[in-house]
């Protein structure tokens, strides 16, 4: 919040500096409003310009971008405004240097003057303001997540029965515990090493006479008649 406020103030100060710069002297006592926008693309001439068709026009557009960016908390709009101001100022410097052969800075009213400094400073302040601003993307997304209700479990698909974890759907869950049920070992038949479950005669141990009788089912004496 504080960064947005600070960045907005810096960007607005840059916009004000850029808008005021055409009303000051730019070169050899000539104000910025005397340069036509078309002169920046066709070459500097001595023809006087109207205010609304002078270099003030792109600076007003940049100021409107800054205002929109501050209201919408858009860093992109503020940065674009700073690039517009710097771009047109540098383009003017290139055309002025071509027209006069060179650019000079003098304290006696000759060469580059305070209007150019104001324009360059305004563009730089706009870029600094854009860097200071945090924007609105993260704050809006965080507030939206806080407003949305948090569901502990998602609803099961329509083609499936109610399963664990339990939901608001009617019916009993297939599990009554959060832990999986123990699996029962599958039956693989009687143990061949257990004499209680073996149905065939046990082999005699080594070195001992064999007993032909069945140890599990011994012969029975017939009943006396």
């Amino acid at each position: 919040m504080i960064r947005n406020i600070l960045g907005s103030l810096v960007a607005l100060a840059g916009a004000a500096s850029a808008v005021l710069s055409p009303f000051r002297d730019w070169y050899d006592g000539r104000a910025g409003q005397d340069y036509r926008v078309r002169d920046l693309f066709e070459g500097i001439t001595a023809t006087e310009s109207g205010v609304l068709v002078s270099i003030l026009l792109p600076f007003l557009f940049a100021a409107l971008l800054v205002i929109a960016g501050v209201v919408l908390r858009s860093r992109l709009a503020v940065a674009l405004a700073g690039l517009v101001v710097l771009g047109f100022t540098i383009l003017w410097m290139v055309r002025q240097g071509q027209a006069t052969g060179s650019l000079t800075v003098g304290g006696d009213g000759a060469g580059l003057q305070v209007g150019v400094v104001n324009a360059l400073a305004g563009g730089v302040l706009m870029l600094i303001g854009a860097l200071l601003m945090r924007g609105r993307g993260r704050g809006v997304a965080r507030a939206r997540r806080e407003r949305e209700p948090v569901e502990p479990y998602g609803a099961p698909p329509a083609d499936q029965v109610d399963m664990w974890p339990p939901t608001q759907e009617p019916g009993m869950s297939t599990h009554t515990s959060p832990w999986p049920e123990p699996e029962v070992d599958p039956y693989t038949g009687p143990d061949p090493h257990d004499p209680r479950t073996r149905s065939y005669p046990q082999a005699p141990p080594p070195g001992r006479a064999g007993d032909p009788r069945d140890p599990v089912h011994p012969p029975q004496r017939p009943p006396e008649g």
Side-chain angles (χ1 to χ4, degrees), residues 133-221:
M133 294 175 62
R134 294 179 58 90
R136 57 177 303 179
R138 296 179 181 178
V140 172
R142 187 183 299 110
R144 185 178 301 172
R145 288 195 300 267
E146 292 177 355
R147 289 195 302 266
E148 292 178 354
V150 179
E151 297 183 1
Y153 305 105
D159 57 346
Q160 295 184 7
V161 297
D162 187 22
M163 301 177 63
W164 186 267
T167 64
Q168 301 294 333
E169 300 294 329
M172 298 183 60
S173 301
T174 57
H175 295 172
T176 58
S177 172
W179 307 105
E181 294 184 354
E183 297 184 358
V184 181
D185 295 336
Y187 177 74
T188 58
D191 187 2
H193 302 287
D194 190 353
R196 295 173 300 176
T197 59
R198 189 167 53 193
S199 59
Y200 51 86
Q202 184 178 8
R208 183 177 177 181
D211 189 353
R213 295 178 299 177
D214 186 0
V216 180
H217 305 285
Q220 302 292 332
R221 180 178 296 179

Side-chain angles (χ1 to χ4, degrees), residues 16-183:
S17 178
V19 171
L20 292 177
S21 65
F23 298 99
R24 296 193 171 188
D25 294 339
W26 278 47
Y27 198 83
D28 283 340
R30 187 177 181 183
Q33 62 180 348
D34 294 334
Y35 294 96
R36 299 179 301 175
V37 175
R38 60 182 298 180
D39 290 345
L40 303 181
F41 301 96
E42 300 177 356
I44 300 297
T45 63
T47 305
E48 296 294 332
S49 172
V51 176
L52 296 181
V53 293
S54 66
I55 198 173
L56 177 64
L57 182 62
F59 290 174
L60 286 176
F61 173 74
L64 293 177
L65 273 181
V66 170
I67 295 175
V70 169
V71 173
L72 301 177
R73 287 188 293 179
S74 174
R75 301 175 61 186
L76 180 60
V78 176
L80 180 59
L83 293 177
V84 168
V85 173
L86 291 177
F88 275 90
T89 305
I90 294 174
L91 180 59
W92 173 88
M93 295 174 66
V94 172
R95 292 301 186 184
Q96 184 65 40
Q98 292 175 350
T100 59
S102 63
L103 289 178
T104 60
V105 179
D108 55 352
L112 296 176
Q113 293 183 295
V114 66
V116 181
V117 177
N118 287 345
L120 293 176
V124 172
L125 287 176
M126 293 178 194
L127 294 180
I128 295 176
L131 292 177
L132 292 176
M133 294 175 62
R134 294 179 58 90
R136 57 177 303 179
R138 296 179 181 178
V140 172
R142 187 183 299 110
R144 185 178 301 172
R145 288 195 300 267
E146 292 177 355
R147 289 195 302 266
E148 292 178 354
V150 179
E151 297 183 1
Y153 305 105
D159 57 346
Q160 295 184 7
V161 297
D162 187 22
M163 301 177 63
W164 186 267
T167 64
Q168 301 294 333
E169 300 294 329
M172 298 183 60
S173 301
T174 57
H175 295 172
T176 58
S177 172
W179 307 105
E181 294 184 354
E183 297 184 358

